[in-house]
């Protein structure tokens, strides 16, 4: 699992930009309930946790680890994660899953993540390198303003930019 996570982090960094932090990625952790997540046990470590069934489900392992790899690029708390960051994580996990397993999932299984993915696809339709441009400038996919996005991708309309910078966990 650690090899898959490292591969996903390397590919995400190559595609979107090198993380500005120097935190240590701890070995992948597993749990039987709750969703996968990325936490920060200390100021210099990152813990990726995925579901137990990923130990025997190759597709789920690739999907969950690649999604969490995006969250390792610029560590923020769950409360601070934006629609943009979750949309990029969902987009990347679908691409990574297909590239490395040949498995295509048309949905994440959660409408909120699919909606975030759709918004990121709308941004990418305007500028194919939008994510790497934004990440390259700000070193984050969260803690952004709508104006930050518009400044880097001027063709983006205010409504899309506003939607992308909303806190994901407030999207209930």
């Amino acid at each position: 699992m650690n090899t898959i996570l490292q591969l996903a982090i390397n590919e995400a960094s190559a595609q979107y930009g090198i993380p500005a932090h120097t935190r240590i990625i701890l070995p992948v952790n597993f749990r039987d309930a709750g969703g996968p997540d990325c936490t920060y046990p200390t100021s210099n470590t990152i813990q990726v946790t995925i579901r137990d069934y990923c130990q025997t489900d190759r597709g789920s392992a690739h999907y969950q680890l690649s999604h969490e790899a995006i969250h390792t690029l610029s560590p923020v708390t769950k409360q601070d994660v934006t629609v943009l960051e979750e949309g990029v994580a969902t987009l990347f996990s679908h691409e990574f899953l297909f590239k490395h397993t040949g498995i295509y999932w048309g949905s994440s299984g959660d409408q909120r993540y699919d909606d975030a993915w759709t918004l990121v696809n709308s941004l990418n339709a305007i500028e194919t390198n939008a994510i790497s441009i934004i990440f390259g400038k700000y070193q984050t996919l969260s803690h952004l303003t709508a104006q930050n996005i518009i400044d880097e991708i001027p063709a983006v309309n205010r409504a899309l930019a506003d939607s992308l910078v909303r806190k994901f966990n407030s999207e209930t």
Side-chain angles (χ1 to χ4, degrees):
M1 295 301 155
N2 296 310
T3 304
I4 297 169
L5 176 60
Q6 192 57 59
L7 177 62
I9 291 169
N10 292 346
E11 288 187 16
S13 296
Q15 187 168 341
Y16 300 124
I18 304 297
H21 69 83
T22 57
R23 292 179 185 227
I24 297 165
I25 308 295
L26 298 172
V28 174
N29 192 30
F30 299 92
R31 73 166 146 246
D32 64 350
D37 64 20
C38 192
T39 56
Y40 316 100
T42 69
S43 62
N44 65 346
T45 59
I46 298 175
Q47 178 70 69
V48 171
T49 302
I50 60 175
R51 296 295 302 276
D52 280 337
Y53 60 80
C54 291
Q55 293 178 79
T56 58
D57 182 340
R58 180 174 172 238
S60 292
H62 278 76
Y63 188 87
Q64 290 183 21
L65 289 166
S66 59
H67 183 102
E68 298 309 321
I70 295 300
H71 297 308
T72 70
L73 298 181
S74 63
V76 298
T77 65
K78 287 181 189 180
Q79 296 77 20
D80 290 330
V81 172
T82 61
V83 170
L84 175 63
E85 184 165 333
E86 289 296 356
V88 170
T90 303
L91 169 67
F92 182 74
S93 60
H94 283 269
E95 291 173 346
F96 186 86
L97 174 67
F98 185 73
K99 177 180 179 183
H100 292 282
T101 69
I103 299 169
Y104 173 76
W105 288 346
S107 170
S108 69
D110 184 319
Q111 190 61 50
R112 293 176 55 233
Y113 288 90
D114 290 348
D115 291 346
W117 180 20
T118 297
L119 289 169
V120 167
N121 283 334
S122 296
L123 176 64
N124 284 337
I126 296 166
E127 168 57 62
T128 55
N129 295 316
I131 305 309
S132 60
I133 291 168
I134 292 166
F135 188 79
K137 169 76 182 237
Y138 299 103
Q139 293 295 296
T140 187
L141 296 172
S142 295
H143 295 303
L144 297 168
T145 65
Q147 192 60 50
N148 293 147
I149 293 174
I150 293 167
D151 287 347
E152 300 313 310
I153 316 296
V156 171
N157 66 55
R158 174 62 69 168
L160 176 57
D162 285 341
S163 294
L164 289 165
V165 300
R166 282 194 321 254
K167 301 294 186 221
F168 185 79
N169 287 324
S170 68
E171 296 294 298
T172 55

